[in-house]
Amino acid sequence: MPTELSPIDTAKFVAAKQACEYVESGMKVGLGTGSTAAWLVQCLGELVRDEGLKIQGVPTSSRTAKLARDVGIDVITLDEAKWLDVTIDGADEYDSELCLIKGGGGAHLQEKVVATASDRMIVIADASKKVDTLGAFPLPIEVLQFGARTTEELVVETLRNMDVLGRDVSLRMAGDAPFITDEGNFIFDLHLKRIGNPRQMSLALNQIPGVVENGLFIDICDVVVVGHASGQVDVRDITNGTSEVIRFDVQDDENIFADLAD
């Protein structure tokens, strides 16, 4: 791949690189899904190949599983792992309390199961993912195919009582056909614009028959690692109440990205 990256990819890379500091040999690591998480998997693969890092990875999607195997990470299932030391994943949005919206890649069900079965969840993101209030990014919910339209009507009815600015619901498509998750379900995207009470929203949605899981991650994320195009990385640990700034020199090292596949 070319050694020069776009500003957004540089930000994702340095966030992923810094997140690798949370991983040690012998750990069982949840591996997220999405473009930022893909950088993490590649960075971990580089450590496995070049520095002898020994980890077992639990992927959150079939796409991540393939990438992890391709870069040399030992892949196991969550049932085999039973419990994880850390999960590292991206986010579509996060707020000041480290509440998240996830699911833009259609894997939030597995991502939430894996993150919840971990001692810590680390979120890696670029600065654009920080919001004052969740909801600008459409909130995904995974629903059973059986009775999906009935479930949609129940969701619309539930939204009438929620503190939101929009109430449009759309079935996620993959070309001319509905998008199908790894579990064989549909996804509805809720275009809410603003979610006044994410905790209430999450509880209400998961009470609807037919809804398998929603993309709100509440009280799950422990640390957010935010990358910038300049090479700066901001690390905020909500558990310890600490913040830190790290700087990577991305200008002088022409080969910093050379070993990473696209």
Side-chain angles (χ1 to χ4, degrees), residues 6-124:
S6 68
I8 191 70
D9 280 337
T10 300
K12 292 177 180 181
F13 169 77
V14 294
K17 196 77 170 175
Q18 180 60 33
C20 289
E21 295 294 318
Y22 292 92
V23 180
E24 301 175 0
S25 277
M27 281 188 170
K28 298 173 183 177
V29 182
L31 304 173
T33 295
S35 60
T36 310
W39 282 107
L40 170 83
V41 174
Q42 293 177 95
C43 288
L44 289 175
E46 187 178 49
L47 293 174
V48 168
R49 183 183 69 245
D50 297 342
E51 299 186 20
L53 179 70
K54 296 186 182 301
I55 61 172
Q56 293 178 305
V58 175
T60 54
S61 69
S62 56
R63 302 189 302 281
T64 298
K66 181 181 184 305
L67 177 59
R69 292 188 181 99
D70 287 346
V71 300
I73 296 174
D74 181 17
V75 172
I76 61 173
T77 67
L78 183 57
D79 284 339
E80 289 171 328
K82 296 184 175 63
W83 194 259
L84 306 178
D85 297 286
V86 64
T87 287
I88 306 177
D89 203 349
D92 297 302
E93 284 186 348
Y94 73 93
D95 66 13
S96 60
E97 297 181 355
L98 303 195
C99 296
L100 320 172
I101 286 182
K102 290 181 52 57
H108 64 273
L109 173 56
Q110 287 192 22
E111 289 171 335
K112 189 176 284 191
V113 171
V114 169
T116 304
S118 304
D119 287 337
R120 304 183 86 189
M121 182 191 186
I122 315 297
V123 162
I124 50 178

Side-chain angles (χ1 to χ4, degrees), residues 15 80 131 172 237:
E80 289 171 328
V131 296
R172 187 176 298 185
D237 188 324

Side-chain angles (χ1 to χ4, degrees), residues 47-229:
L47 293 174
V48 168
R49 183 183 69 245
D50 297 342
E51 299 186 20
L53 179 70
K54 296 186 182 301
I55 61 172
Q56 293 178 305
V58 175
T60 54
S61 69
S62 56
R63 302 189 302 281
T64 298
K66 181 181 184 305
L67 177 59
R69 292 188 181 99
D70 287 346
V71 300
I73 296 174
D74 181 17
V75 172
I76 61 173
T77 67
L78 183 57
D79 284 339
E80 289 171 328
K82 296 184 175 63
W83 194 259
L84 306 178
D85 297 286
V86 64
T87 287
I88 306 177
D89 203 349
D92 297 302
E93 284 186 348
Y94 73 93
D95 66 13
S96 60
E97 297 181 355
L98 303 195
C99 296
L100 320 172
I101 286 182
K102 290 181 52 57
H108 64 273
L109 173 56
Q110 287 192 22
E111 289 171 335
K112 189 176 284 191
V113 171
V114 169
T116 304
S118 304
D119 287 337
R120 304 183 86 189
M121 182 191 186
I122 315 297
V123 162
I124 50 178
D126 62 85
S128 69
K129 301 302 192 297
K130 174 69 168 65
V131 296
D132 293 329
T133 305
L134 297 177
F137 190 90
L139 174 65
I141 58 173
E142 186 160 337
V143 304
L144 297 175
Q145 290 194 40
F146 174 80
R149 289 304 178 188
T150 299
T151 302
E152 180 181 9
E153 291 301 317
L154 292 171
V155 169
V156 170
E157 183 65 29
T158 298
L159 292 179
R160 291 195 177 101
N161 299 315
M162 296 288 106
D163 181 8
V164 295
L165 292 182
R167 293 178 174 82
D168 292 336
V169 179
S170 62
L171 175 65
R172 187 176 298 185
M173 304 295 290
D176 295 330
F179 176 89
I180 305 297
T181 69
D182 280 355
E183 289 74 34
N185 299 317
F186 289 159
I187 286 181
F188 285 126
D189 289 309
L190 313 186
H191 304 269
L192 308 176
K193 301 180 181 178
R194 173 187 175 275
I195 303 173
N197 190 330
R199 193 180 305 275
Q200 179 191 42
M201 174 70 70
S202 181
L203 291 172
L205 289 172
N206 280 5
Q207 289 177 348
I208 298 172
V211 173
V212 182
E213 188 54 79
N214 70 80
L216 286 165
F217 283 51
I218 312 294
D219 299 331
I220 297 176
C221 176
D222 300 290
V223 178
V224 62
V225 180
V226 181
H228 301 266

